[in-house]
Amino acid sequence: MTLNLSQIGVQMSSLTGVRGMMKDVQETLQSKQGQEFLVLSAGNPLLLPKVEQMWRECDAELLASCEYGEVVCRYGSSQGYVPFIQAIAAYFNRRYGLSLSERNILITPGSQMLYFYAANAFGGYTRDKELKQIVLPLSPEYTGYGGISLAPEALVSYKPTLDIDSSSHRFKYHPDFNNLVITENTGCIIFSRPCNPTGNILSNDEIKKIVALARPYNIPVFIDSAYGPPFPALNFQDMIPVFGENIVHCMSFSKAGLPGERIGVAIGDYKIIEVLESFQTNLCIHPSHYGQAIAARAINSGALEFVSQEVIRPFYKNKFSVLEAKLDQVMPKDLPWFLHRCEGAIYGWLWFKNLPISDWDLYEKLKHVGVIVVPGRFFFPGLEKDWSHQYQCIRISLTASDQDIETGIERLAEVVQNVYQSAVVPSI
């Protein structure tokens, strides 16, 4: 059957970013059943026993309560399940000294849906046919932003500056404020903190600069805190969420152990929240109540805060230490490889300066030795011009076992050394 799709139908039915690449991964795993692979590409959080047990206990409480029927057998507010909204407001007011009301909070079916609402409510074409841009202040960034706008040309991102420490083979991205453009043609700003894929955490000063650029034009700034505090608290250095009149603090419960329940949270000015809620009303009436009901229990009891800080964070911080130590041990010291300083999240980000082959070719070579990573090119949505750097990076997941991470890095080091030996490489 031939389908006659609309322009938006064609756009939304295409595989974008990492999702397109993961199709190749699945085909590779299925076609080479005799070969074992070390999968260092997954973004799916690990099932940690203490985290699962917490959710089981919250689930048992809900099942035994008189609240169950109201949760499962009734429609509700488009804004979200009221007891969950109340739990979020009370926790944030107590923890951060805020004065949130229920009107400041929206619950969505995952944070990806939240950014879809934001991108199309504030970005794209106005009634006067003017294009409002969706600005990512620096690349690389979360690949999922690449598919959220119904007007793809509205998405614009900017190259960062690089702070490079050659002696330690480390580097860090910073927003390039000399080239970042925020004007009346900007619809909204989005960035992740900590960042997927790099683990980068923008400083409070950097955020204040971005917010200050946006404020004169009443531009909302959406801070994607899917890996940040208070839940799942996957920040490996001190980090305090930033709030303000034109800031929308965005959360996800996926990395806190509920990826299957799809829970996103937006906290911000009630006028922005009302716009996003209207989108939600039209698209899905309201998000599922079940995950919200058990999440409210985990917040109110203090269990979620505890497991975030004492279980989830140290687990992945240790994983990064394993990755970092192995890289320092086996990667050739005379080659220009650089690990981004991981300040949070569940990934390692590697840059190979002057890489003689493309990131995709490196991905293919690694597959031949049984290692699967993610080519870096998928994490630069919105760049107007090609940048050689985007074809010199790979993302490594911290969700594999320690042994698989170490073995994978050993094979990576051997492949990279062979690649560079085939070309003349400038000294670092």
Side-chain angles (χ1 to χ4, degrees), residues 165-186:
D165 184 347
S166 297
S167 61
S168 68
H169 292 272
R170 300 294 187 272
F171 80 111
K172 178 177 167 64
Y173 297 116
H174 293 281
D176 184 357
F177 288 102
N178 290 326
N179 291 302
L180 178 61
V181 178
I182 306 295
T183 69
E184 67 275 5
N185 293 322
T186 304

Side-chain angles (χ1 to χ4, degrees), residues 240-265:
I240 299 175
V242 180
F243 304 94
E245 183 180 4
N246 62 322
I247 295 175
V248 181
H249 178 78
C250 306
M251 297 165 50
S252 167
F253 277 66
S254 293
K255 304 306 183 290
L258 286 181
E261 287 302 301
R262 311 306 303 136
I263 302 175
V265 180

Side-chain angles (χ1 to χ4, degrees), residues 109-311:
S111 57
Q112 182 81 6
M113 184 67 82
L114 167 57
Y115 306 125
F116 177 82
Y117 299 162
N120 295 289
F122 297 99
Y125 290 95
T126 68
R127 285 175 291 183
D128 297 326
K129 308 303 181 184
E130 295 179 354
L131 183 64
K132 290 284 189 178
Q133 293 182 331
I134 304 153
V135 171
L136 312 182
L138 78 166
S139 264
E141 254 297 1
Y142 172 49
T143 183
Y145 299 150
I148 57 175
S149 176
L150 296 176
E153 62 273 24
L155 189 69
V156 176
S157 67
Y158 290 87
K159 292 193 297 185
T161 62
L162 278 65
D163 180 6
I164 303 171
D165 184 347
S166 297
S167 61
S168 68
H169 292 272
R170 300 294 187 272
F171 80 111
K172 178 177 167 64
Y173 297 116
H174 293 281
D176 184 357
F177 288 102
N178 290 326
N179 291 302
L180 178 61
V181 178
I182 306 295
T183 69
E184 67 275 5
N185 293 322
T186 304
C188 63
I189 299 169
I190 304 176
F191 59 87
S192 58
R193 181 183 190 245
C195 178
N196 172 4
T198 65
N200 193 12
I201 293 179
L202 269 64
S203 70
N204 281 16
D205 286 343
E206 288 171 333
I207 291 176
K208 288 176 182 176
K209 287 182 180 179
I210 293 170
V211 171
L213 291 171
R215 188 177 293 117
Y217 307 106
N218 296 315
I219 298 168
V221 178
F222 292 85
I223 302 179
D224 179 351
S225 192
Y227 297 89
F231 332 115
L234 276 165
N235 52 300
F236 305 150
Q237 65 176 37
D238 289 342
M239 172 186 165
I240 299 175
V242 180
F243 304 94
E245 183 180 4
N246 62 322
I247 295 175
V248 181
H249 178 78
C250 306
M251 297 165 50
S252 167
F253 277 66
S254 293
K255 304 306 183 290
L258 286 181
E261 287 302 301
R262 311 306 303 136
I263 302 175
V265 180
I267 301 173
D269 185 274
Y270 75 92
K271 293 181 181 178
I272 299 174
I273 295 300
E274 284 180 348
V275 171
L276 301 177
E277 182 185 351
S278 296
F279 258 69
Q280 180 148 287
T281 302
N282 287 317
L283 285 171
C284 64
I285 304 178
H286 66 72
S288 169
H289 286 167
Y290 200 93
Q292 296 180 66
I294 62 173
R297 284 169 164 73
I299 292 172
N300 290 333
S301 68
L304 183 55
E305 181 178 55
F306 177 81
V307 299
S308 294
Q309 296 180 6
E310 304 299 327
V311 178

Side-chain angles (χ1 to χ4, degrees), residues 25-33:
V25 171
Q26 289 299 111
E27 291 173 351
T28 298
L29 295 175
Q30 291 170 2
S31 65
K32 298 184 178 181
Q33 296 180 6

Side-chain angles (χ1 to χ4, degrees), residues 32-44:
K32 298 184 178 181
Q33 296 180 6
Q35 182 180 1
E36 292 187 3
F37 286 91
L38 305 175
V39 181
L40 306 183
S41 60
N44 210 4

Side-chain angles (χ1 to χ4, degrees), residues 291-350:
Q292 296 180 66
I294 62 173
R297 284 169 164 73
I299 292 172
N300 290 333
S301 68
L304 183 55
E305 181 178 55
F306 177 81
V307 299
S308 294
Q309 296 180 6
E310 304 299 327
V311 178
I312 300 174
R313 177 194 288 160
F315 179 85
Y316 285 105
K317 187 175 182 180
N318 179 71
K319 287 286 185 183
F320 183 75
S321 296
V322 170
L323 171 69
E324 191 172 34
K326 197 63 180 180
L327 284 166
D328 287 336
Q329 177 188 346
V330 302
M331 288 294 289
K333 301 295 186 290
D334 59 340
L335 293 183
W337 65 271
F338 299 95
L339 174 66
H340 194 282
R341 297 194 180 280
C342 187
E343 298 162 338
I346 61 173
Y347 308 104
W349 180 257
L350 276 168

Side-chain angles (χ1 to χ4, degrees), residues 34 58 60 72 79 111 119 186 200-201 220 263 284 293 295-296 348 352 357 387 410 422-423:
C58 292
V72 174
Q79 192 178 349
S111 57
T186 304
N200 193 12
I201 293 179
I263 302 175
C284 64
F352 302 99
I357 60 176
W387 179 28
E410 289 172 356
S422 66

